[in-house]
Amino acid sequence: MAQIDSLDLIVLVLLLLGSVAYFTKGTYWAVPKDPYAASALNGSAIKKGTRNILEKMDESNKNCVVFYGSQTGTAEDYASRLAKEGSSRFGLKTMTADLEEYDYENLDQFPDDKVAFFVMATYGEGEPTDNAVEFWEFINGESPSFSESSDEKPLKNLKYVTFGLGNNTYEHYNSMVRNLDKILTRFGAKRIGTAGEGDDGAGTMEEDFLAWKEPMWQALQEEMGLEEREASYEPSFSVEEKDDITKEDPNVYLGEPNKNHLEGSQKGPFGASNPYIAPIAESRELFTVKDRNCLHIEVDVSGSNINYTTGDHIAVWPTNAGMEVDRFLKTFGLDEKRHTVISVKGLDPTAKVPFPTPTTYDAAVRYHMEICAPVSRQFMDTLAEFAPTEESKKEMKKIGTDPDYFKEKIVNHYYNIAQAVNSVHPGPWSKVPFSCLIESINKIQVRYYSISSSSLVQPKKISITAVVESIRVPGAGHVVKGVTTNYLLALKQKQNGDPEPSPHGLTYEITGPRNKYDGIHVPVHVRHSNFKLPSDPSKPIIMVGPGTGVAPFRGFVQERAEQAKRGDNVGETVLFYGCRRKSEDWLYKDEWEAYKSVLGDKLIVFNAFSREDPNKKHYVQHDIAANGKLVNDLLMKKANFYVCGDAAHMAREVNDVLAQIVEKERGVPKEKAEQIVKGMRSSGQYQEDVWS
């Protein structure tokens, strides 16, 4: 055997090292850097950067910060719009700031040549939004400990602007912005303009915002010596088409919410920035009529660390329908390059790209942009400068500046953005920069559903009960279709044997990006709620839940039946339920009978069928009034009173009926009865889980 000399050995080693280096390139070294890896959308990423807002403003040379407390994205959208307008019209150096990303001990050091905006949504029963909880606990504390000042007016240098988002169907209408305004004023801060309030309950949020901001800007001009200039569109993002990359590249996001999902792995914790791709264990139709749908869906979370308790909410991450994606891309001249890879970057260090990149036009629109939402008048005005013709430009300007004309042409037709601009000119509107669309269209929001199962009975299976939205607009010639409920209906159809599901003519990419949702999966997370059963099962409860408002109460009754099986003493459990007809939409009819066989006389169910009698409609509030003595007797035993469903009509009328019962049964004046009901709310005895 020939001997290997030292030179041959060195050559062989070098060849071996070269081979190893070649085959491990891109895996262990020279790994392409993911520009989104450190983003808040990356579920496993650690947020870096300062939590000192004054340092952040100094580093980025800003003199105006717009804080937002947002639950569904609307307050965040208004904050972005205020920041852009402040920059383009008045030359302010603006930034937006998520309230949960900063500390507030140094607000007492806020310079008097800067201004802070607070755009605050009120959530639930006068509560802060999830991202505003820490800020609220600090500022609303008994004696907030600011960093330097210990006097009675620690915020005397702070100039601020406030706008609140609320719903007048709730008792604590806009309480967050009202209370924040009082606190800031008490600490010596100076408000610029009036404290604005928008009312979602009256459907006037947008017009309330537009009417408030003009005099506010005028007051801010005078206070800070600003000069108005002619506003024109200034992009916050650069959008670069990457001709050297295809959508098949493994580093291109095709709808994945973060890097873990891009790489095909799911890592907790799962939450608002990191969904769990959950298998749907079961799905079925609850209605017995062909023209309406109500879904019961069982989501299996056993493969995750997700836990819930009875009364919580499940969030479903929706996907836009193919028809709407096609319409949008065609309208803005992007149809032929829908699969072109794009890289989106902030032109300002404080600008946050709302989705991971690189991605494609199709993926950004399909998975990340709320393209089916109502259109704002301000957005129509912004798009005017990019209109295809002078005539369409004039029309867009009129729509964007005349509230009555906007209502006639756009609002009354329930148009989304593509439909709205097509109604002015068929397009294509190819002059509109994609950056403008990213900035002006909200990030697609998850939809929350009251969980309709008991965590005691099925801790790793979460039930959803949802009516599929499909509303024909009178005189408009089209149907408004719910984004998420139709997506769920498509999943249900697929699971039940339909090879090509198309609910109401809509198709969805139900297998998800790169087929990662195949096998009937849906992205979800859980949001915890204060809508809870009493800790003592012997305590009586009264539940009011017509339609799908019965969802959480199915979970409540399911839990109480299980507690009874285990030998617990279960208190009186009364349900007021309502639907149209017993033969069409009586939800869980057979289940109530099964629960009654366990709970016996402890379970009482009143059913109001609103359309059984053609001459008279019968609702849950009528049954409550008719059983006033029972209701009052249980309340005197400290029963919890729960309402779930429509806030605008049903919940408000139930509140009034309850006050009338207290007045009659206890023989107290009307004003005293109303105070008793209000006291029940304050103490948590009266709880609501309602929606507009």
Side-chain angles (χ1 to χ4, degrees):
M1 181 176 176
Q3 295 291 316
I4 299 177
D5 62 26
S6 59
L7 181 61
D8 292 334
L9 186 61
I10 291 169
V11 170
L12 285 170
V13 170
L14 289 173
L15 286 171
L16 178 62
L17 289 173
S19 300
V20 170
Y22 178 80
F23 287 111
T24 59
K25 181 180 179 182
T27 303
Y28 297 108
W29 70 284
V31 180
K33 180 174 173 58
D34 178 8
Y36 219 75
S39 162
L41 284 180
N42 188 333
S44 62
I46 298 172
K47 290 180 183 175
K48 295 181 179 179
T50 180
R51 288 186 61 84
N52 184 324
I53 186 61
L54 299 182
E55 279 185 11
K56 185 70 173 177
M57 293 179 76
D58 287 341
E59 286 171 6
S60 50
N61 192 29
K62 304 297 182 185
N63 62 0
C64 173
V65 58
V66 187
F67 293 109
Y68 59 85
S70 186
Q71 194 71 31
T72 63
T74 307
E76 182 179 359
D77 174 53
Y78 283 148
S80 298
R81 287 162 62 179
L82 287 168
K84 284 194 69 68
E85 189 170 358
S87 173
S88 62
R89 279 181 65 185
F90 302 102
L92 285 166
K93 297 182 174 81
T94 61
M95 64 175 284
T96 59
D98 186 331
L99 278 167
E100 71 179 348
E101 294 183 4
Y102 295 94
D103 298 321
Y104 299 94
E105 289 85 354
N106 64 349
L107 276 181
D108 58 335
Q109 301 175 45
F110 206 89
D112 61 6
D113 61 346
K114 291 177 168 56
V115 63
F117 285 60
F118 293 90
V119 183
M120 306 294 293
T122 298
Y123 171 60
E125 292 299 302
E127 300 154 24
T129 56
D130 291 347
N131 75 316
V133 170
E134 287 185 21
F135 165 72
W136 185 244
E137 288 176 349
F138 170 77
I139 202 75
N140 192 44
E142 194 167 319
S143 53
S145 52
F146 292 103
S147 59
E148 290 185 355
S149 180
S150 58
D151 62 28
E152 293 182 359
K153 304 290 183 184
L155 303 183
K156 55 183 177 294
N157 290 329
L158 176 66
K159 295 184 176 77
Y160 73 96
V161 172
T162 57
F163 182 79
L165 294 81
N167 185 317
N168 72 12
T169 60
Y170 290 80
E171 181 184 359
H172 302 282
Y173 170 62
N174 261 314
S175 65
M176 281 303 298
V177 77
R178 291 178 180 182
N179 291 329
L180 177 61
D181 184 47
K182 290 175 186 175
I183 291 168
L184 295 178
T185 301
R186 188 172 77 243
F187 288 149
K190 181 179 181 180
R191 190 186 68 232
I192 310 299
T194 61
E197 294 184 358
D199 186 1
D200 190 45
T204 58
M205 180 74 76
E206 178 70 15
E207 290 304 323
D208 293 339
F209 173 73
L210 296 177
W212 161 80
K213 72 180 180 65
E214 287 309 315
M216 178 277 295
W217 285 128
Q218 186 176 349
L220 191 62
Q221 270 186 277
E222 295 171 2
E223 179 67 30
M224 298 188 68
L226 305 175
E227 289 187 15
E228 185 172 3
R229 59 193 187 187
E230 186 175 348
S232 60
Y233 172 68
E234 296 175 357
S236 299
F237 304 109
S238 67
V239 180
E240 180 187 0
E241 296 183 355
K242 310 290 285 186
D243 296 329
D244 57 330
I245 306 176
T246 68
K247 71 183 183 73
E248 284 75 26
D249 189 300
N251 296 303
V252 174
Y253 290 86
L254 297 181
E256 296 91 348
N258 57 51
K259 191 179 181 185
N260 284 337
H261 286 272
L262 180 68
E263 294 176 343
S265 64
Q266 294 204 69
K267 296 178 183 177
F270 299 104
S273 59
N274 187 39
Y276 174 62
I277 312 303
I280 294 178
E282 176 193 340
S283 56
R284 67 180 191 271
E285 176 63 54
L286 295 176
F287 285 173
T288 57
V289 287
K290 291 183 178 180
D291 60 337
R292 296 166 63 219
N293 298 94
C294 184
L295 305 176
H296 177 88
I297 291 176
E298 298 277 345
V299 178
D300 186 351
V301 295
S302 57
S304 72
N305 60 357
I306 291 176
N307 295 305
Y308 78 100
T309 54
T310 309
D312 282 345
H313 300 128
I314 185 169
V316 175
W317 293 50
T319 297
N320 283 313
M323 180 180 76
E324 294 299 341
V325 174
D326 294 345
R327 189 206 310 269
F328 184 92
L329 293 171
K330 184 177 180 181
T331 296
F332 293 104
L334 299 169
D335 190 33
E336 292 185 4
K337 54 181 183 178
R338 66 195 304 154
H339 297 305
T340 299
V341 175
I342 56 173
S343 174
V344 182
K345 295 178 180 176
L347 295 174
D348 181 282
T350 64
K352 291 195 293 187
V353 181
F355 47 78
T357 75
T359 185
T360 65
Y361 290 113
D362 184 285
V365 173
R366 188 179 302 276
Y367 293 101
H368 299 294
M369 297 169 67
E370 197 77 82
I371 60 172
C372 294
V375 188
S376 76
R377 181 159 60 86
Q378 192 173 7
F379 188 24
M380 296 294 281
D381 188 42
T382 298
L383 292 179
E385 66 176 284
F386 306 112
T389 64
E390 279 300 315
E391 186 177 346
S392 58
K393 181 177 181 179
K394 290 178 184 176
E395 179 70 0
M396 288 289 281
K397 269 291 180 189
K398 185 176 182 183
I399 289 172
T401 55
D402 184 333
D404 294 332
Y405 195 62
F406 174 71
K407 184 177 181 182
E408 175 193 341
K409 292 292 184 179
I410 306 298
V411 175
N412 290 347
H413 295 273
Y414 294 84
Y415 284 149
N416 61 38
I417 184 57
Q419 292 169 324
V421 297
N422 281 330
S423 72
V424 175
H425 190 282
W429 291 66
S430 49
K431 294 179 185 176
V432 180
F434 194 62
S435 58
C436 179
L437 299 174
I438 297 171
E439 294 157 23
S440 303
I441 296 172
N442 285 357
K443 184 168 60 179
I444 197 165
Q445 296 298 310
V446 301
R447 271 56 168 184
Y448 291 102
Y449 299 93
S450 299
I451 293 175
S452 55
S453 54
S454 161
S455 56
L456 184 65
V457 176
Q458 47 183 79
K460 287 300 178 181
K461 270 190 186 173
I462 295 176
S463 300
I464 299 173
T465 307
V467 166
V468 179
E469 297 174 48
S470 182
I471 305 165
R472 183 165 297 279
V473 182
H478 70 98
V479 178
V480 177
K481 306 174 184 74
V483 173
T484 309
T485 52
N486 280 280
Y487 170 49
L488 291 174
L489 179 54
L491 289 167
K492 176 257 177 186
Q493 291 176 346
K494 179 76 172 177
Q495 186 169 52
N496 288 272
D498 189 337
E500 295 183 2
S502 56
H504 301 109
L506 302 177
T507 57
Y508 292 84
E509 292 283 352
I510 59 176
T511 59
R514 294 185 171 92
N515 293 320
K516 288 173 181 173
Y517 303 174
D518 202 9
I520 320 298
H521 286 70
V522 63
V524 299
H525 72 266
V526 165
R527 180 178 73 185
H528 298 294
S529 163
N530 293 322
F531 195 76
K532 298 296 179 194
L533 279 166
S535 56
D536 179 1
S538 67
K539 191 173 184 179
I541 61 172
I542 303 167
M543 303 164 288
V544 183
T548 54
V550 81
F553 304 136
R554 175 182 182 263
F556 282 17
V557 175
Q558 189 180 68
E559 182 145 323
R560 289 210 146 185
E562 180 64 22
Q563 288 170 330
K565 286 179 184 177
R566 297 182 182 188
D568 291 339
N569 177 25
V570 173
E572 293 97 326
T573 303
V574 178
L575 171 64
F576 291 94
Y577 172 69
C579 63
R580 292 184 183 181
R581 296 181 178 88
K582 62 178 72 174
S583 61
E584 292 182 3
D585 52 1
W586 190 349
L587 300 182
Y588 303 115
K589 175 185 176 182
D590 295 336
E591 288 190 21
W592 305 126
E593 292 301 318
Y595 296 137
K596 193 164 181 60
S597 69
V598 176
L599 291 166
D601 294 340
K602 292 290 180 73
L603 175 61
I604 303 172
V605 180
F606 296 99
N607 295 299
F609 303 110
S610 62
R611 301 190 185 182
E612 288 283 292
D613 184 345
N615 301 313
K616 185 180 179 182
K617 290 190 176 179
H618 187 75
Y619 297 115
V620 288
Q621 46 268 44
H622 298 135
D623 279 346
I624 296 169
N627 292 276
K629 185 177 186 310
L630 171 65
V631 169
N632 183 63
D633 288 348
L634 292 177
L635 292 179
M636 295 300 285
K637 295 180 184 178
K638 303 300 180 184
N640 276 11
F641 190 87
Y642 302 92
V643 181
C644 183
D646 164 48
H649 303 290
M650 181 275 296
R652 182 173 281 185
E653 290 179 24
V654 166
N655 182 89
D656 294 343
V657 167
L658 192 60
Q660 291 164 15
I661 289 171
V662 171
E663 178 186 359
K664 177 184 176 183
E665 296 296 328
R666 302 185 192 179
V668 298
K670 178 181 178 183
E671 293 75 14
K672 175 67 174 174
E674 290 172 351
Q675 284 300 316
I676 290 171
V677 172
K678 187 171 284 190
M680 288 171 57
R681 288 177 175 276
S682 300
S683 67
Q685 185 183 2
Y686 188 145
Q687 298 181 34
E688 287 185 321
D689 182 1
V690 295
W691 54 84
S692 302

